[in-house]
Amino acid sequence: MQLSVVAARLSSLRAWSGLSMASAAQAAGLNTSTIFRIEHGLVAPREATVRTLLELYGQGEHAPRLLSLLREERVPGWYDAPGVPLGLSAYLELEDGAQVIYTYGPRLVPPLLQIPAYALAAALSAVPPVAPAGSPCWSSGEPGGSAYERAAEAARVVAVRQEVLDRPRGPHLWAVLDRPALLDPPLHRPEERIAQLDAVAMAAKQPHIAVQVARPSTETGFLYQGPPFTLLRFPERSRPDVLVLHLLHAPIVVEDRRRVEEHQQAFARLSLSAHAVDATPGILDELRARLLG
């Protein structure tokens, strides 16, 4: 099973890189028939070959993730599907197995609470205006172009991620949101802005989801000065919490105890200084009235 997942991933990465089997083979110093056999799961590639191909496809830094499947060191999950960015896969596996998810993002509605239109808009906003040398061309975001296709795929991944909250005995989510994230989302249509706010309000009614709205820094005296972050707590008591920093290119998983504790303290300060959970429905009603205003 792992071999077929590795094969599908390598085939997808080659296609997204805009390379034919023949051109990929030539660049990697392989035969076209070798690429064919690898991508159809007919032969297990050597680790060196996987590393070479990932470097060619611009994914060299994520080689350990794919090699762990080739070595059968882990069981593949939905996050190993070709449509899921390889750089996101490790984080999604952690998120998928978490018992409690704490998250905060300045000016950002977290993906687990995003409506499809928001997820698509957020993905499109992350598309670079000019493609780097050697990468496939990015379009202006029109349907049918590679930029739009990648953004749409990213939005579909967000929808799959959200299913974890609907599972029996699924994780608890604790999110602190800034008012600008709710009042100024990357959505142009007023009805979509209202729909996003209503989605957060609906989620906040769930017993396993806690949503707090942050107070202005002028009131609290606390200003978080870092990137969006998530803290993951797992059901295994012996397993330490993990910090995830959501950077521009990919999430970074941090296990260093000092940095984890620093962000635990930051989240605690954000939560303690925010409006109480039971005040969230009223605040969201107020913000909804302002958007309709």
Side-chain angles (χ1 to χ4, degrees):
M1 181 178 181
Q2 282 88 334
L3 182 58
S4 64
V5 175
V6 172
R9 173 69 76 176
L10 289 173
S11 177
S12 175
L13 289 175
R14 176 186 57 75
W16 276 115
S17 297
L19 296 172
S20 65
M21 285 191 183
S23 57
Q26 182 178 12
L30 302 169
N31 295 321
T32 303
S33 60
T34 300
I35 297 290
F36 179 89
R37 291 197 299 272
I38 289 174
E39 292 188 0
H40 286 79
L42 301 177
V43 61
R46 296 178 180 178
E47 291 191 10
T49 300
V50 172
R51 293 183 185 276
T52 297
L53 292 175
L54 290 179
E55 287 289 347
L56 179 62
Y57 305 151
Q59 299 289 318
E61 64 182 302
H62 305 304
R65 181 68 182 166
L66 197 58
L67 289 175
S68 65
L69 284 176
L70 186 64
R71 298 167 184 156
E72 298 187 348
E73 295 173 348
R74 61 184 181 87
V75 178
W78 70 267
Y79 33 77
D80 291 303
V84 179
L86 189 55
L88 190 61
S89 175
Y91 166 63
L92 294 183
E93 182 178 12
L94 292 171
E95 182 182 79
D96 201 66
Q99 184 177 51
V100 185
I101 301 170
Y102 306 91
T103 188
Y104 171 72
R107 301 188 63 86
L108 176 73
V109 173
L112 291 177
L113 297 178
Q114 292 175 2
I115 64 172
Y118 190 113
L120 179 60
L124 281 171
S125 68
V127 173
V130 179
S135 67
C137 294
W138 291 83
S139 75
S140 61
E142 293 300 318
S146 62
Y148 187 90
E149 291 171 359
R150 292 189 184 214
E153 186 61 40
R156 285 191 287 270
V157 171
V158 169
V160 177
R161 288 174 64 181
Q162 293 173 349
E163 293 176 4
V164 71
L165 296 176
D166 296 326
R167 294 180 190 165
R169 300 181 181 180
H172 289 259
L173 173 66
W174 192 336
V176 177
L177 306 182
D178 283 338
R179 285 174 182 260
L182 299 168
L183 289 172
D184 188 26
L187 300 167
H188 297 294
R189 298 178 180 175
E191 62 269 25
E192 291 178 341
R193 292 178 169 228
I194 294 296
Q196 178 59 75
L197 197 61
D198 289 347
V200 172
M202 184 66 68
K205 295 178 181 179
Q206 303 301 313
H208 61 297
I209 298 177
V211 176
Q212 291 182 273
V213 178
R215 298 177 187 272
S217 298
T218 52
E219 294 182 14
T220 66
F222 177 62
L223 176 64
Y224 172 71
Q225 302 180 55
F229 70 93
T230 297
L231 291 160
L232 301 175
R233 181 160 295 170
F234 303 96
E236 302 86 358
R237 292 187 176 182
S238 60
R239 190 174 180 182
D241 293 355
V242 167
L243 164 68
V244 183
L245 300 176
H246 301 285
L247 305 182
L248 181 62
H249 63 289
I252 302 297
V253 177
V254 179
E255 297 182 354
D256 178 76
R257 298 314 310 153
R258 180 181 62 82
R259 296 188 68 186
V260 171
E261 290 173 1
E262 287 175 350
H263 283 77
Q264 287 173 331
Q265 294 170 8
F267 189 86
R269 290 191 66 179
L270 286 164
S271 178
L272 289 171
S273 62
H275 294 280
V277 171
D278 57 10
T280 298
I283 295 172
L284 294 180
D285 285 343
E286 171 198 332
L287 297 181
R288 193 178 197 278
R290 287 181 60 180
L291 288 177
L292 289 172

